[in-house]
Amino acid sequence: MEDSASGLKLLLSYEVLDTKLQAYQQFVIQQYVPAMQMMGFQVSEVWHTAYGEAPNRLVGFVCRDRQTVDDLLDNEMWLTLNSQLEEYVTEFSYKLVPYQRGVFQM
């Protein structure tokens, strides 16, 4: 995403269940990310927390404008994807922040 002035970042945070790691990875790569791309989002980063109290995954998706976010949040596919994701994770949450290129955001 070239223009960071108007971009937004959707941050997903969750704890991947160790017993479902392989199935989680397949689901995210084969279904979650492609569906998000179809809805106007691109993966900006994926972080793994190896030590500490934070959930072990932080995933960022960026988009160009607020309308793309509003369309996502009103889309049944978004609810379905997250319902399916919750089969592999706990402590799922998300938030929207202004996109800042090259800056770690939480």
Side-chain angles (χ1 to χ4, degrees):
M1 188 154 121
E2 298 301 318
D3 179 18
S4 63
S6 63
L8 295 167
K9 184 183 286 188
L10 180 67
L11 292 169
L12 309 180
S13 176
Y14 48 82
E15 184 80 19
V16 178
L17 297 168
D18 289 337
T19 59
K20 297 192 176 186
L21 183 59
Q22 185 173 357
Y24 156 81
Q25 290 171 336
Q26 289 177 334
F27 169 72
V28 169
I29 291 169
Q30 295 173 1
Q31 294 179 45
Y32 202 99
V33 170
M36 291 295 287
Q37 289 172 334
M38 285 182 5
M39 293 185 284
F41 288 81
Q42 296 298 319
V43 174
S44 60
E45 71 251 282
V46 178
W47 296 93
H48 173 77
T49 301
Y51 181 79
E53 296 300 316
N56 65 16
R57 286 293 188 287
L58 179 66
V59 181
F61 287 95
V62 294
C63 69
R64 295 209 177 274
D65 55 35
R66 181 63 198 212
Q67 186 61 53
T68 303
V69 173
D70 291 343
D71 291 346
L72 173 78
L73 297 177
D74 286 339
N75 193 319
E76 186 67 31
M77 186 184 299
W78 165 248
L79 299 174
T80 300
L81 283 171
N82 292 326
S83 177
Q84 292 172 329
L85 179 64
E86 288 180 339
E87 295 176 24
Y88 312 107
V89 307
T90 61
E91 301 178 46
F92 175 80
S93 67
Y94 66 90
K95 67 180 177 179
L96 187 65
V97 298
Y99 175 62
Q100 296 178 346
R101 185 181 197 136
V103 175
F104 178 75
Q105 296 174 275
M106 295 180 42

